[in-house]
């Protein structure tokens, strides 16, 4: 019978996965309380929470930020199947098993460790190997380096790092290896960076992502002559970027010659389980150690990486940390032990074979697409032929008696074998920009061709990631190829559940995007020339990193403004111009450009189709800019008229106040005279007394006059300043007949 505790652990795990997966549970407090508690940290509850409440809080933390995103649906969590549940169950059981008595725990962990090691060694054809399970996939290599140091320096265990001063150890790695791996090794081992030697890759023969074996041999001999000790070589069976495999067989022979340790890592090691791996990959079984990541290949969450190694001295392995006497440390293998048993040999092989079949299917479909370039062997063949025929290199000495055709044939056979064995597919959009113009000169434009193509491929990868997330593609930056889109199903297919239908969807999306990219690339130069034709009102801004038609900036032609005022006017006009362009009924996207990467402000024009008239597009931009500028001038003219009217009104009111003051003085004198009986009657008869309230009114009216300003016919406003005496006497606004009639303007008006 199954232990009741085991059954309870499995039941609780299933319930937890259900809650975290959908979070559908009615509560008294309602969903708003969960959202509040997920978004705002709070104090630790004194009475404690039940398991369901805590799991719902975790669910809200996982999914709360994704609910309002207006994007195509993406998988929120890893596609956890039954084998994933087994891996998660292993972590729960490890916690339970760790509380057993020491003797039972030792027997159980020994069985788990030995079973898992045996299965992995047989599965990946690595005979007589031992296994080290570790969370950090770099930790196995660190422990292997310590093992080699203990083996090569006999007094290291007693004297420590002092013994390394006699002969400095050297670790060799490929320039195409994992970034930062060598620095991490030196940091963990306490070695100086001078102990790390980065070997360049091939420049002509073979893949440009493979280690140059001849140059490596030369570097090793130079280090030996300098009194250094070649310690370890890190080779790749699938480089992180391109997925290419080093010449492992030649590297093995070179390591035997110089008594070096050979360590191999890479995604292509997964194909060893198929039993039909290429000779280049099978050579990895002769290495001294190799690191595997079965969790990624099989879609197993939180499963440790494994380093398989061969060494006969268990004491040195224990000193290096590759083995442990603590039973609890051996429980790291439990999730993988459960998952391997659940999948079985056939299930493991099926998953890896499915991933490699996806890559081969996509590669064949991509070769049928125009303007999409894959890592094709024919281009390598051409470069080899040119190099040999032009005398750049000489034939290989071992085959110097062979013909040129035989030399190329043997080289191309190895290249084809390497590419067919790699489950990683690289592709990129490519178009010759020198012919990407319907007319005019392209001098100076092709200088940034690589940067422009990188920008287009970066945009292409982002679009594919957004619209076909189940494909698992990503964008990589390679030194020689530039920006490429990578499809590596061994790392993503098991996690995302990628099927052949997803690769077909990927190809369909590519078929939609590539024509627009071709049209945009073709019309970029025409757009540039059309913008120059509208100079100086339009300015072309060179933005090589923009994946679109180009960038433009409107320059107003006003004169007499200072620098700060002109800059403010520029920003205002172009901001309004961008809003007007975005309101147009068009498929073209106008924006302020990428969020990062440019400090120059301008209007960016996105991808266009082949039916777009670039001349008409630029004319529209220029016309809208002129309309906005003229509208601004009209408003500015009206503002100036109002300002002058106010100043004039202030002057007239000041003058009226002075006159009123004089009138008051005279009125007082007359008032005194009016008090005299005889004189007052005469004054009242000749000059009767009356009071009035005087003010000013400003009448703003549109005039039909036109002003020639910078070659443009503009309307402007004028105004008149009148007295308010008539207003107060008649209680209504009154004016002269000429002021009441507004002149009519011409029937033909400029837009805006």
């Amino acid at each position: 019978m199954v232990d009741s505790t085991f059954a309870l652990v499995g039941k609780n795990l299933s319930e937890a996965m259900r809650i975290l997966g959908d979070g559908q549970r009615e509560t008294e407090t309602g969903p708003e309380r969960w959202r509040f508690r997920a978004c705002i940290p709070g104090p630790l509850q004194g009475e404690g929470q039940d398991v369901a409440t805590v799991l719902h809080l975790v669910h809200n933390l996982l999914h709360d930020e994704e609910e309002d995103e207006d994007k195509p649906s993406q998988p929120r969590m890893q596609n956890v199947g039954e084998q994933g549940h087994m891996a998660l169950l292993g972590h729960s059981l490890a916690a339970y098993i760790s509380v057993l008595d020491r003797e039972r725990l030792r027997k159980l962990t020994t069985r788990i460790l030995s079973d898992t090691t045996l299965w992995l060694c047989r599965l990946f054809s690595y005979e007589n190997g031992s296994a080290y399970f570790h969370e950090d996939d770099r930790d196995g290599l660190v422990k292997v380096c310590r093992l080699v140091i203990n083996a090569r320096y006999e007094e290291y265990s007693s004297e420590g790092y002092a013994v390394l001063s006699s002969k400095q150890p050297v670790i060799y790695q490929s320039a195409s290896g994992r970034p930062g791996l060598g620095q991490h090794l030196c940091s963990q081992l306490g070695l100086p960076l001078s102990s790390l030697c980065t070997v360049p890759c091939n420049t002509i023969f073979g893949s440009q992502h493979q280690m140059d074996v001849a140059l490596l041999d030369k570097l090793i001999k130079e280090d030996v002559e300098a009194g250094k000790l070649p310690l370890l070589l890190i080779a790749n069976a699938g480089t992180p970027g391109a997925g290419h495999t080093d010449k492992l067989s030649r590297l093995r022979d070179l390591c035997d010659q110089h008594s070096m340790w050979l360590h191999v890592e890479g995604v292509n090691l997964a194909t060893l389980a198929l039993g039909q791996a290429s000779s280049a990959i099978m050579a990895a079984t002769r290495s001294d150690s190799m690191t595997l990541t079965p969790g990624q290949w099989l879609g197993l969450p939180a499963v440790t990486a494994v380093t398989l190694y061969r060494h006969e001295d268990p004491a040195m392995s224990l000193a290096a940390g590759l083995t442990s006497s603590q039973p609890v440390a051996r429980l790291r293998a439990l999730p993988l032990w459960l998952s391997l048993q659940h999948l079985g040999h056939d299930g493991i092989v099926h998953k890896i074979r499915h991933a490699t079949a996806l890559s081969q299917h996509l590669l064949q479909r991509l070769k049928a697409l125009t303007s999409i370039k894959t890592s094709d062997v024919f281009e390598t063949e051409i470069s080899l032929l040119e190099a040999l025929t032009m005398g750049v290199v000489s034939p290989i000495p071992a085959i110097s008696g062979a013909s040129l055709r035989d030399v190329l044939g043997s080289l191309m056979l190895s290249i084809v074998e390497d590419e067919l064995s790699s489950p990683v597919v690289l592709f990129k959009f490519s178009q010759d920009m020198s012919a990407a113009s319907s007319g005019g000169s392209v001098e100076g434009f092709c200088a940034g061709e690589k940067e422009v193509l990188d920008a287009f491929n970066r945009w292409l990868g982002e679009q594919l990631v957004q619209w076909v997330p189940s494909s698992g593609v990503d964008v990589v930056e390679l030194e020689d190829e530039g920006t490429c889109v990578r499809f590596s199903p061994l790392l993503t297919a098991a996690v995302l559940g990628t099927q052949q239908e997803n690769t077909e969807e990927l190809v369909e999306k590519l078929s939609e995007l590539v024509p627009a990219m071709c049209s945009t690339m073709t019309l970029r130069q025409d757009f540039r020339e059309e913008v120059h034709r509208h100079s100086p009102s339009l300015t072309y801004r060179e933005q090589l990193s923009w994946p679109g038609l180009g960038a433009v900036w409107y320059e107003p032609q006003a004169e007499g403004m200072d620098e700060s005022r002109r800059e403010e006017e520029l920003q205002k006009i172009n901001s309004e111009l961008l809003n007007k362009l975005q309101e147009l009924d068009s498929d073209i996207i106008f924006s302020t450009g990428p969020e990062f990467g440019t400090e120059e402000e301008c209007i960016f024009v996105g991808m266009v189709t082949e039916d777009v008239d670039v001349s008409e597009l630029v004319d529209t931009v220029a016309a809208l800019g002129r309309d906005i500028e003229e509208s601004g001038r009209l408003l500015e003219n009206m503002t100036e008229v109002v300002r002058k009217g106010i100043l004039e009104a202030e002057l007239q009111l000041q003058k009226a106040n002075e006159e009123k003051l004089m009138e008051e003085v005279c009125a007082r004198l007359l008032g005194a005279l009016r008090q005299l009986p005889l004189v007052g009657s005469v004054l009242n008869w000749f000059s009767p007394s009356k009071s009035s309230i005087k003010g000013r009114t400003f009448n703003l009216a549109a005039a039909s006059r036109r002003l020639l300003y910078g070659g443009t016919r503009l309307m402007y406003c004028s105004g008149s300043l009148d007295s308010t005496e008539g207003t107060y006497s008649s209680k209504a606004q009154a004016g002269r007949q000429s002021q009441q009639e507004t002149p009519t303007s011409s029937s033909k008006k400029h837009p805006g």
Side-chain angles (χ1 to χ4, degrees):
M1 291 181 61
V2 179
D3 192 331
S4 60
T5 305
F6 286 172
L8 182 60
V9 169
K11 179 181 178 181
N12 290 339
L13 177 64
S14 300
E15 177 66 15
M17 293 302 299
R18 185 191 67 80
I19 294 176
L20 293 179
D22 53 26
Q24 302 299 324
R25 178 175 178 262
E26 297 294 334
T27 60
E28 299 177 353
T29 54
E32 295 184 359
R33 178 171 178 244
W34 302 113
R35 178 181 294 274
F36 175 80
R37 301 179 71 179
C39 297
I40 302 177
L44 182 63
Q45 299 295 321
E47 68 277 8
Q49 306 291 331
D50 57 37
V51 175
T53 302
V54 175
L55 289 176
H56 271 285
L57 178 59
V58 175
H59 173 271
N60 291 336
L61 290 173
L62 289 173
H63 304 302
D64 182 69
E65 296 180 356
E66 301 176 0
E67 293 180 359
D68 298 330
E69 293 182 355
D70 186 16
K71 293 181 179 180
S73 58
Q74 298 184 8
R76 293 179 174 180
M77 297 181 63
Q78 176 175 328
N79 184 24
V80 181
E82 291 187 7
Q83 69 275 5
H85 281 274
M86 292 299 297
L88 297 177
L89 180 61
H91 290 278
S92 301
L93 291 178
Y96 170 73
I97 294 174
S98 63
V99 301
L100 297 176
D101 61 87
R102 188 173 182 82
E103 183 62 23
R104 293 177 63 187
L105 180 61
R106 184 189 63 80
K107 292 181 179 180
L108 181 59
T109 54
T110 302
R111 170 65 184 274
I112 293 172
L113 188 63
S114 59
D115 283 351
T116 310
T117 302
L118 177 63
W119 297 339
L120 290 175
C121 288
R122 289 184 176 179
L123 186 64
F124 295 99
S125 305
Y126 198 81
E127 298 179 356
N128 302 322
S130 301
Y132 171 63
F133 301 88
H134 45 95
E135 302 292 341
D136 189 341
D137 57 0
R138 302 171 299 180
D139 194 37
L141 181 56
V142 173
K143 298 295 193 296
V144 164
C145 288
R146 287 178 179 163
L147 173 64
V148 180
I149 291 176
N150 277 278
R152 297 298 301 274
Y153 295 90
E154 296 180 357
E155 300 179 354
Y156 180 78
S157 58
S158 58
E159 298 187 9
Y161 287 101
V163 75
L164 302 180
S165 59
S166 59
K167 278 190 174 184
Q168 181 181 359
V170 183
I171 300 174
Y172 301 89
Q173 68 170 359
S174 172
S176 295
R178 270 196 290 175
L181 178 61
Q183 290 79 357
H184 177 76
L185 286 177
C186 293
S187 173
Q188 295 296 313
L189 298 172
L191 298 177
L193 291 179
S194 57
S195 295
L196 180 65
C197 179
T198 301
V199 183
C201 295
N202 297 322
T203 55
I204 296 179
F205 290 101
S207 167
Q208 294 181 342
H209 300 276
Q210 290 178 336
M211 189 184 303
D212 192 330
V213 182
L215 183 56
L216 173 63
D217 188 18
K218 179 182 177 182
L219 292 173
I220 293 175
K221 291 179 180 178
E222 291 177 354
D223 288 336
V224 172
E225 294 175 359
K228 298 180 180 180
L229 179 64
L231 189 69
L232 181 140
L233 171 64
I234 307 172
N236 291 297
T239 55
H244 289 201
T245 302
D246 290 326
K247 301 299 181 183
L248 299 179
S249 180
R250 294 181 59 190
L251 293 178
R252 175 72 272 178
D253 296 340
L254 190 62
C255 288
D256 291 339
Q257 179 182 347
H258 296 282
S259 301
M260 293 173 58
W261 185 284
L262 176 62
H263 178 83
V264 182
E265 62 177 20
V267 66
N268 293 352
L269 291 174
T271 58
L272 289 172
L274 300 180
Q276 301 174 350
S278 63
S279 58
I281 300 298
M282 287 301 299
T285 59
R286 298 172 52 201
S287 64
D288 298 298
S289 61
M290 61 181 182
T291 297
L292 311 175
T293 55
Q296 290 180 323
W297 304 339
L298 305 177
L300 306 175
V303 167
T304 59
V306 185
T307 295
L308 302 179
Y309 65 97
R310 296 189 183 99
H311 200 268
E312 298 177 354
D313 191 345
M316 286 190 179
S317 299
L318 181 62
L322 288 169
T323 58
S324 175
S325 59
Q326 298 297 325
V328 177
R330 301 181 179 183
L331 286 175
R332 287 197 293 257
L334 179 58
L336 184 59
W337 182 75
L338 292 174
S339 300
L340 292 179
Q341 291 188 92
H342 179 73
L343 285 171
H345 182 275
D346 294 342
I348 296 171
V349 172
H350 172 73
K351 280 185 172 292
I352 297 176
R353 193 182 303 279
H354 172 69
T356 56
L358 288 176
S359 63
Q360 294 301 319
H361 174 74
L362 180 62
L363 182 62
Q364 296 301 321
R365 296 284 282 117
L366 291 177
K367 289 182 179 296
L369 296 179
T370 58
S371 300
I372 291 295
K373 181 190 298 184
T374 61
S375 50
D376 204 332
V377 298
F378 295 106
E379 295 184 1
T380 309
E381 181 180 10
I382 294 175
S383 63
L384 289 174
L385 180 60
E386 291 178 350
L388 290 173
T389 54
M390 294 175 61
V392 177
V393 295
S394 58
I396 301 176
I399 54 175
S400 57
S403 64
L404 178 61
R405 183 180 298 275
D406 295 335
V407 173
L408 288 176
S410 60
L411 289 172
M412 290 308 303
L413 181 61
S414 62
I415 295 173
V416 170
E417 183 184 44
D418 178 70
E419 293 214 356
L420 291 178
S421 64
S422 176
V424 180
V425 178
L426 287 177
F427 61 93
K428 59 184 293 188
F429 168 77
S430 179
Q431 185 176 5
D432 186 10
M433 291 170 53
S434 61
S437 178
S438 58
S441 172
V442 294
E443 183 179 357
F445 186 68
C446 294
E449 178 177 354
K450 184 177 183 299
E451 188 174 353
V452 174
L453 286 175
D454 286 346
F456 272 61
N457 282 287
R458 196 174 298 110
W459 176 85
L460 175 63
E462 292 171 355
Q463 294 295 310
L464 294 177
V465 170
Q466 178 179 350
W467 294 104
V468 195
S470 299
S471 64
V473 295
D474 61 348
V475 180
V476 293
E477 304 283 346
L478 302 178
E479 183 177 356
D480 297 314
E481 292 85 350
T483 303
C484 299
V485 182
R486 178 178 60 184
F487 178 68
S488 183
L490 272 174
L491 298 179
T492 60
V495 173
L496 300 176
T498 309
Q499 300 296 326
Q500 185 170 333
E501 293 79 10
N502 301 122
T503 60
E504 290 294 334
E505 186 180 356
L506 186 69
V507 174
E508 291 177 5
K509 194 63 183 178
L510 272 172
S511 302
E512 297 176 7
L513 297 175
V514 167
M517 297 175 70
C518 293
S519 302
T520 305
M521 187 71 76
T522 303
L523 297 173
R524 278 179 69 97
Q525 177 63 14
D526 295 337
F527 178 76
R528 181 183 187 183
E529 293 177 354
E530 286 295 328
V531 172
H532 286 323
R533 186 172 61 85
H534 285 269
S535 180
S537 60
L538 290 182
T539 302
Y540 181 82
R541 299 289 179 88
E542 191 70 60
Q543 296 289 343
L544 299 179
S545 60
W546 171 247
L549 198 59
V552 67
W553 188 251
Y554 185 82
E555 296 281 352
Q557 302 304 305
E559 298 179 357
M561 290 189 296
D562 56 9
E563 188 64 26
S564 60
R565 175 71 183 283
R566 179 175 178 81
E567 185 66 24
E568 181 181 352
E569 190 70 14
L570 276 172
Q571 298 292 339
K572 181 180 178 182
I573 292 178
N574 282 276
S575 177
E576 190 172 349
L577 175 58
L578 176 60
N579 294 333
K580 293 289 186 183
L581 291 172
Q582 291 175 341
E583 293 173 359
L584 294 176
D585 186 13
S586 173
D587 295 332
I588 305 175
I589 297 177
F590 301 91
S591 66
T592 55
E595 184 177 359
F596 304 102
T598 177
E599 298 179 356
E600 197 173 18
E601 296 186 7
C602 43
I603 298 174
F604 289 82
V605 186
M607 295 285 177
V608 297
T609 55
E610 60 181 356
D611 58 345
V612 170
D613 189 339
V614 176
S615 177
E616 182 180 351
L617 173 62
V618 178
D619 290 342
T620 302
V621 175
L624 288 175
R626 284 194 300 269
D627 291 345
I628 296 172
E629 182 182 4
E630 292 167 5
S631 300
R633 288 177 184 171
L634 177 61
L635 181 59
E636 183 179 356
N637 183 32
M638 183 184 300
T639 304
E640 183 66 19
V641 170
V642 173
R643 186 183 66 83
K644 289 182 179 180
I646 293 174
L647 292 177
E648 184 180 353
E650 289 178 351
L651 292 175
Q652 292 190 14
L653 289 175
Q654 182 179 1
K655 184 178 179 181
N657 289 334
E658 293 175 355
E659 292 178 354
K660 184 177 181 180
L661 181 60
M662 293 300 297
E663 289 178 358
E664 289 180 355
V665 173
C666 294
R668 289 182 180 182
L669 292 176
L670 291 175
L673 292 176
R674 292 180 192 275
Q675 299 299 324
L676 299 177
L678 180 60
V679 178
S681 300
V682 175
L683 285 177
N684 289 333
W685 185 79
F686 279 103
S687 177
S689 62
K690 60 179 180 178
S691 61
S692 63
I693 302 175
K694 295 183 179 180
R696 292 293 184 270
T697 177
F698 185 67
N699 185 14
L700 184 64
S704 60
R705 309 171 193 173
R706 283 173 171 76
L707 176 66
L708 189 64
Y709 189 90
T712 305
R713 301 174 68 89
L714 297 176
M715 292 180 61
Y716 72 98
C717 295
S718 63
S720 61
L721 198 65
D722 301 320
S723 173
T724 60
E725 185 175 356
T727 303
Y728 288 105
S729 62
S730 61
K731 306 298 182 180
Q733 179 82 33
R736 295 187 299 268
Q737 184 68 22
S738 59
Q739 296 173 349
Q740 294 176 350
E741 296 178 357
T742 302
T744 58
S745 60
S746 174
S747 59
K748 184 179 180 181
K749 295 183 179 180
H750 193 278

